[in-house]
């Protein structure tokens, strides 16, 4: 091969590479206006037709009224009470009018004020473009493969996955331990991301704190306009408060009490029952449904795939891995807050906190005793099925 | 003097001429401590005991290669060090230059190359091919009722497993689908079909000494048979994205009785949870032998 042939081959190859590189869909970062439009190959699902764009100053709902005061106590240098906060207006004119002052932070990221015209508190959070860009980069790196580039839950790896990944357009989260219907606070969302959801590809993400915070802020901007964090009237709530664990020193007593509560409150109507039919009839007053040692499938509007609400089998605690059940406290909080979109109702308010804690201990004891031990579990369930 | 001893005379004379006795004690100490620490390292961070039927083949070949290349390494090291120490700069000694281009040198090089090739490459190749033929390539028979078939679907960053359930057919309502957890019986061949949704992954069972790529758009095959019950690691052995490091799971090997009970119950629960309207959730493919 002569030197000329070699040279021309190299030239041709590099030209071909250049053509390939320019044909690549552009989803590189753009600080000012980063649209997450990606060309989807024909075999993947089409994304939802919601325009997701980040502008330099994106406004979303702040974590809550107390949040500013708490932050001011923790970081007195950063947050201060200010009359001038009242004069702040954004480009859409939201919240314009007379104010009685509010909290402002040194970086200009958070503003809290009282709106006299609307006669209500307006908690706005102004996220810096730098933070959103960082959040978006991390989102594309870690989250987009399942949750999709636009956050619609239709990422390429999401296909066939059950339960399907969360669509952030719904602004509905199942296991944040926040009362269903409310938006979770930053802390609740951060905790969810750090803990993960067991038994699913949603891992406990080993990211740095500031990385998770950036992702959380970016996720909020994925809400459609006037919905979720872009809804002025949406409630942002913290983790449900069910007090101290009354059975902290004696989990066994909690489990015993929980067995009674579990079967009295009819949990076995969807989940399996874990006592004999006679015992259940003794506690609940009527015999359990047929086949009560198996869970019953329920449609779940919380997860939609192409407009179809998928069905979910309520977990059998002795068999399935539950999403957040590492401790009795996790389970008690899930029971108290309910699971938005699914059949699991909110129990906080319906029954006492003590009963909720007892149920947490009972379910945890079921997991400890039988989960992952098919032979022992089979023997136990056989005693109920006779 | 026989031709063979003449051939190796430079090596023999180099070793014999080494008068650096003072080097013997530290060298021996160094070798001894290296051997001891190698043992410690192997115990602590080395491979686990092989669990699959052909795992010991992998280990013995690995140990053989390690031994052979260690021996050749030390021979080369000695051949390098001895002249360097023996012929180092001394007062009254002039350096002489030699291109070493004689027929003797050429013959020496050629014969040593052939010996090294036979001892190292050919030996290892022959053993490796024998092991592959009798182990990894020795697929279970297509209609063997003993074989457990598993469809493995990799994705960023999880392993999806589908077992055929009690009816033995894929794509039916009683298929058992698990994520990152695989349950299999002991002492039965496990036949696997692997593919991927998105990028190239590699399904790796370190305790079974088996690893195979899962490529999007193609179905790869592999098989193994576990000889022990217990829980073992599943890893991804192909850099597949930012969270590649946490793409791991567990394979639970159950006794035959345990597995039968597990399969019956899991199949029943899968049937209960089956949603016929949810066409998207059905991802089984036709089994490929």
């Amino acid at each position: 091969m002569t030197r000329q042939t070699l040279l021309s081959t190299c030239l041709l190859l590099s030209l071909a590479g250049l053509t390939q590189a320019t044909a690549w869909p552009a989803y590189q970062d753009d600080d000012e206006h980063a649209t997450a439009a990606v060309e989807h190959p024909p075999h993947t699902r089409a994304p939802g037709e919601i325009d997701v764009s980040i502008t330099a100053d994106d406004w979303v709902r702040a974590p809550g009224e107390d949040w500013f005061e708490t932050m001011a106590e923790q970081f007195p240098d950063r947050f201060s009470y200010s009359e001038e906060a009242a004069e702040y207006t954004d480009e859409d004119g939201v919240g314009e009018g007379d104010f009685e002052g509010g909290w402002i932070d040194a970086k200009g990221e958070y503003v809290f004020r009282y709106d006299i015209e609307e006669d209500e508190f307006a908690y706005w959070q102004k996220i810096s473009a730098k933070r959103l860009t960082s959040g978006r980069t991390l989102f594309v790196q870690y989250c987009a493969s399942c949750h999709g580039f636009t956050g619609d839950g239709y990422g390429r790896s999401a296909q066939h996955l059950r339960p399907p990944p969360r669509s952030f357009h719904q602004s509905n989260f199942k296991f944040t331990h926040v009362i269903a219907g409310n938006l979770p606070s930053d802390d609740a969302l951060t905790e969810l991301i750090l803990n993960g959801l067991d038994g699913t590809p949603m891992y406990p993400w080993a990211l740095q704190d500031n990385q998770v915070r950036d992702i959380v802020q970016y996720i909020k901007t994925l809400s459609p306009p006037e919905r979720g964090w872009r809804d002025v009237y949406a409630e942002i709530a913290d983790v449900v408060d069910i007090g101290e664990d009354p059975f902290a020193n004696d989990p066994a007593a909690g489990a015993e009490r929980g067995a009674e509560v579990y079967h009295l409150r009819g949990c076995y109507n969807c989940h399996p029952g874990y006592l004999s039919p006679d015992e259940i009839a003794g506690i609940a007053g009527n015999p359990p449904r047929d086949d009560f040692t198996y869970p019953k499938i329920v449609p779940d509007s919380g997860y939609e795939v192409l407009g179809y609400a998928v069905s979910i089998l309520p977990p059998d605690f002795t068999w399935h891995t539950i999403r957040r059940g590492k401790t009795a406290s996790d389970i008690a909080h899930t029971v108290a807050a309910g699971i938005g979109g699914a059949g699991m109702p909110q129990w906080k308010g319906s029954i006492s906190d003590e009963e909720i804690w007892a149920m947490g201990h009972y379910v945890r004891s079921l997991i400890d005793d039988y989960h992952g031990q098919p032979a022992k579990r089979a023997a136990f369930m056989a005693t109920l099925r006779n | 003097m026989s031709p063979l001893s003449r051939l190796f005379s430079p090596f023999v004379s180099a070793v014999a001429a080494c008068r650096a006795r003072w080097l013997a004690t530290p060298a021996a100490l160094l070798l001894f401590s290296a051997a001891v620490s190698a043992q410690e390292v192997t115990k602590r961070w080395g491979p686990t005991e092989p669990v699959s039927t052909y795992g010991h083949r992998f280990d013995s070949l690995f140990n053989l290669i390690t031994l052979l290349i260690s021996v050749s390494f030390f021979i080369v090291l000695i051949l390098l060090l001895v002249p360097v120490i023996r012929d180092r700069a001394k007062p009254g000694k002039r350096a002489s230059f030699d291109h070493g281009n004689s027929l003797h040198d050429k013959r020496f090089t050629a014969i040593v190359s052939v010996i090294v090739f036979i001892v190292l490459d050919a030996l290892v190749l022959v053993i490796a091919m024998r092991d592959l033929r009798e182990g990894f390539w020795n697929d279970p028979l297509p209609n063997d009722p003993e074989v457990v078939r598993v469809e493995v679907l990799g994705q960023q960053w999880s392993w999806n497993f589908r077992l055929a359930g009690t009816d033995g057919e894929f794509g039916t309502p009683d298929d058992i689908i698990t994520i990152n957890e695989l349950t299999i019986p002991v002492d039965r061949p496990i036949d696997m079909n692997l593919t991927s949704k998105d990028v190239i992954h590699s399904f790796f069972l370190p305790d079974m000494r088996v690893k195979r790529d899962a490529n999007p758009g193609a179905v790869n095959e592999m098989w193994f048979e576990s000889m022990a019950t217990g829980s073992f690691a599943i890893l991804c052995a192909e850099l597949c994205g930012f969270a590649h490091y946490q793409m791991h799971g567990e394979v639970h090997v159950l006794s035959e009785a345990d597995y039968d009970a597990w399969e019956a119950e899991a199949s029943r629960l899968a049937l209960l949870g089956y949603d016929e309207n949810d066409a998207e959730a059905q991802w089984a493919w036709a089994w490929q032998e």
Side-chain angles (χ1 to χ4, degrees):
Chain A
M1 194 185 278
T2 61
R3 187 168 291 178
Q4 271 138 344
T5 346
L6 206 69
L7 263 174
S8 52
T9 317
C10 286
L11 203 69
L12 268 173
L13 274 175
S14 53
L15 259 176
L18 210 65
T19 336
Q20 275 301 103
T22 45
W24 198 254
Y27 43 85
Q28 270 73 35
D29 270 333
D30 178 358
D31 280 12
E32 280 308 303
H33 193 86
T35 46
V38 179
E39 294 215 359
H40 284 251
H43 64 273
T44 59
R45 291 175 300 198
E49 291 184 354
I50 295 174
D51 174 43
V52 180
S53 56
I54 312 167
T55 52
D57 295 321
D58 224 325
W59 292 86
V60 289
R61 297 278 289 164
E65 186 179 351
D66 299 340
W67 190 85
F68 291 93
E69 283 182 53
T70 319
M71 292 295 274
E73 281 168 17
Q74 285 177 9
F75 309 103
D77 298 344
R78 195 170 156 200
F79 289 89
S80 53
Y81 187 76
S82 158
E83 297 279 330
E84 289 167 17
E87 292 164 17
Y88 204 103
T89 52
D90 68 7
E91 55 189 32
D92 294 335
V94 175
E96 267 185 81
D98 300 320
F99 308 112
E100 286 185 348
W103 295 93
I104 191 162
D105 86 331
K107 290 182 182 170
E109 281 191 9
Y110 299 98
V111 178
F112 158 60
R113 62 210 171 189
Y114 187 74
D115 186 338
I116 290 178
E117 272 191 0
E118 297 285 332
D119 196 23
E120 63 174 57
F121 287 100
Y123 325 108
W124 288 99
Q125 192 171 353
K126 184 189 173 198
I127 319 277
S128 65
K130 192 181 162 199
R131 170 165 284 190
L132 283 180
T133 307
S134 155
R136 182 171 182 283
T137 310
L138 292 162
F139 184 87
V140 168
Q141 286 172 356
Y142 290 99
C143 319
S145 63
C146 283
H147 293 284
F149 284 95
T150 60
D152 57 3
Y154 289 174
R156 178 171 294 192
S157 308
Q159 291 180 84
H160 323 304
L161 209 57
R162 293 293 175 275
R166 169 60 46 205
S167 161
F168 297 122
H169 297 179
Q170 292 176 322
S171 304
N172 172 27
F173 297 89
K174 283 190 160 178
F175 298 97
T176 49
H177 295 164
V178 170
I179 297 272
N182 292 341
L183 293 173
S185 66
D186 285 13
D187 290 346
L189 266 182
T190 306
E191 203 188 329
L192 181 85
I193 293 172
L194 293 178
N195 280 307
L197 299 174
D198 300 340
T200 75
M202 180 73 192
Y203 287 103
W205 291 94
L207 300 173
Q208 288 161 18
D209 283 357
N210 59 335
Q211 289 181 314
V212 178
R213 241 176 278 137
D214 292 354
I215 291 175
V216 164
Q217 302 305 347
Y218 178 70
I219 285 173
K220 293 178 181 179
T221 66
L222 297 172
S223 301
E226 310 298 321
R227 284 181 58 194
W229 276 279
R230 288 156 183 258
D231 177 4
V232 188
Y233 301 103
E235 286 282 329
I236 294 173
D238 221 325
V239 172
V240 61
D241 180 20
I242 49 172
E244 289 287 312
D245 182 3
F247 304 103
N249 298 321
D250 194 0
E256 202 176 315
R257 171 97 177 88
E260 201 184 310
V261 178
Y262 182 94
H263 296 93
L264 178 66
R265 299 299 176 185
C267 302
Y268 59 85
N269 288 326
C270 295
H271 299 277
Y274 299 101
L275 294 176
S276 71
D278 293 341
E279 283 174 304
I280 293 178
I283 292 172
N286 50 337
R289 65 185 159 91
D290 291 344
D291 221 10
F292 73 101
T293 53
Y294 287 100
K296 205 168 83 180
I297 195 166
V298 286
D300 184 350
S301 62
Y303 287 125
E304 284 193 2
V305 178
L306 301 169
Y308 171 73
V310 304
S311 294
I312 301 266
L313 202 63
D316 177 345
F317 304 107
T318 61
W319 185 271
H320 298 110
T321 303
I322 62 170
R323 303 289 167 254
R324 274 190 90 170
K326 288 192 186 72
T327 61
S329 164
D330 280 346
I331 298 163
H333 280 91
T334 307
V335 171
I339 298 173
M344 179 75 184
Q346 166 200 338
W347 286 98
K348 169 80 184 170
S350 306
I351 60 177
S352 72
D353 290 354
E354 183 249 355
E355 286 179 309
I356 290 172
W357 277 106
M359 254 200 271
H361 283 287
Y362 176 56
V363 170
R364 188 59 234 177
S365 75
L366 286 174
I367 297 170
D368 287 341
D369 290 349
Y370 302 109
H371 185 256
Q373 305 170 68
K376 191 181 173 192
R377 173 188 176 274
F380 168 63
M381 295 307 260
T383 60
L384 308 179
R385 283 168 191 168
N386 287 329
Chain B
M1 204 182 221
S2 69
L4 200 70
S5 55
R6 189 184 298 162
L7 189 74
F8 283 103
S9 60
F11 175 70
V12 175
S13 65
V15 174
C18 179
R19 294 206 183 81
R21 295 267 159 77
W22 56 270
L23 208 67
T25 317
L29 269 175
L30 192 75
L31 275 176
F32 179 72
S33 59
V36 169
S37 59
Q39 246 178 4
E40 275 302 303
V41 166
T42 316
K43 221 188 293 172
R44 198 172 296 176
W45 293 297
T48 50
E49 285 294 309
V51 174
S52 65
T53 47
Y54 54 61
H56 67 279
R57 291 169 183 273
F58 181 96
D59 282 22
S60 58
L61 185 60
F62 182 87
N63 291 341
L64 178 69
I65 294 174
T66 312
L67 180 76
L68 290 177
I69 59 171
S70 306
V71 168
S72 0
F73 172 74
F74 279 110
I75 290 174
V76 171
L77 200 66
I78 289 166
L79 285 177
L80 268 173
L81 283 179
V82 165
V84 165
I85 294 164
R86 188 188 60 184
D87 302 333
R88 66 187 183 279
K90 282 176 194 144
K93 191 169 183 184
R94 254 181 89 81
S96 67
F97 297 95
D98 181 11
H99 291 286
N101 209 9
S102 68
L103 185 66
H104 176 270
D105 293 337
K106 281 177 183 168
R107 206 186 292 149
F108 177 79
T109 313
I111 291 178
V112 166
S113 309
V114 168
I115 289 173
V116 167
F117 180 78
I118 290 170
V119 169
L120 284 179
D121 301 69
L123 183 68
V124 165
L125 191 71
V126 166
I127 296 175
M129 292 309 277
R130 189 202 65 193
D131 285 351
L132 277 171
R133 201 176 61 245
E134 293 174 6
F136 190 68
W137 290 344
N138 191 13
D139 288 347
L141 295 172
N143 294 319
D144 188 350
E146 275 289 289
V147 176
V148 177
R149 293 181 174 81
V150 186
E151 292 189 344
V152 183
L153 181 64
Q155 67 168 79
Q156 282 179 329
W157 290 279
S158 279
W159 293 108
N160 297 267
F161 301 104
R162 178 182 281 261
L163 280 84
T166 41
D167 69 351
E169 292 209 5
F170 286 99
T172 49
D174 74 339
D175 285 7
I176 304 159
I177 301 167
T178 52
I179 298 176
N180 288 337
E181 271 189 301
L182 173 63
T183 306
I184 52 165
V186 71
D187 290 336
R188 276 173 71 180
I190 314 297
D191 206 354
M192 287 185 153
N193 270 0
L194 306 125
T195 191
S196 161
K197 282 184 198 176
D198 34 38
V199 299
I200 302 175
H201 301 281
S202 185
F203 187 71
F204 183 25
L205 297 169
D207 299 275
M208 309 292 169
R209 305 285 193 271
V210 66
K211 180 194 287 182
R212 195 86 207 250
D213 273 13
N215 301 52
V219 176
N220 287 348
E221 271 183 73
M222 69 170 208
W223 82 280
F224 67 94
E225 181 177 331
S226 176
M227 298 194 297
T229 55
S231 290
F232 307 102
I234 298 172
L235 300 171
C236 177
E238 179 75 55
L239 182 58
C240 60
F242 277 83
H244 162 68
Y245 67 94
Q246 61 179 6
M247 183 172 171
H248 48 69
E250 266 196 341
V251 51
H252 305 293
V253 186
L254 303 183
S255 68
E256 189 68 45
D258 268 357
Y259 177 75
D260 287 344
W262 179 87
E263 190 189 30
E265 187 71 356
S267 238
R268 164 102 202 238
L269 280 160
L271 206 58
L272 279 175
Y274 182 72
D275 184 0
E276 60 187 15
N277 300 319
D278 189 7
E280 235 244 355
Q282 317 310 324
W283 52 266
W285 58 86
W287 182 259
Q288 296 191 14
E289 288 295 348

